[in-house]
Amino acid sequence: LVYYALLPPIIFVAGFTMRKRHFFANLFTVLLLALPGTLVAALSLGSGLYGLVHAGVLQSPAGPGGDASLTCLLFGALISSTDPV
């Protein structure tokens, strides 16, 4: 209940009422934490999925003859970019 009903409005109000000056004053810190975190999450998720496909636990998302590594990395990039939200 807290995560679905109370937390989203609190985060929205906090972001909506933030002054631009405060945000841009901390932009370097935000990017320092966000960019490497997203990159690590994308690569770990993509390589983990590829490992499961290679082990035969999951079916290849690219189909027969397709490049499963690229598909798994693309999925990892898609999911990890929304993960911090």
Side-chain angles (χ1 to χ4, degrees):
L1 177 68
V2 171
Y3 290 116
Y4 294 109
L6 299 175
L7 193 58
I10 292 171
I11 293 173
F12 175 75
V13 169
F16 192 72
T17 60
M18 180 182 290
R19 303 281 184 228
K20 288 182 184 178
R21 182 172 39 101
H22 296 300
F23 175 74
F24 287 112
N26 294 313
L27 185 63
F28 178 73
T29 306
V30 170
L31 293 176
L32 185 67
L33 296 173
L35 293 178
T38 304
L39 184 65
V40 166
L43 291 176
S44 63
L45 182 61
S47 61
L49 283 174
Y50 180 71
L52 290 175
V53 168
H54 190 68
V57 176
L58 295 175
Q59 186 178 7
S60 176
D67 189 13
S69 62
L70 179 62
T71 307
C72 290
L73 286 174
L74 285 174
F75 180 76
L78 177 72
I79 296 301
S80 67
S81 65
T82 60
D83 184 39
V85 175

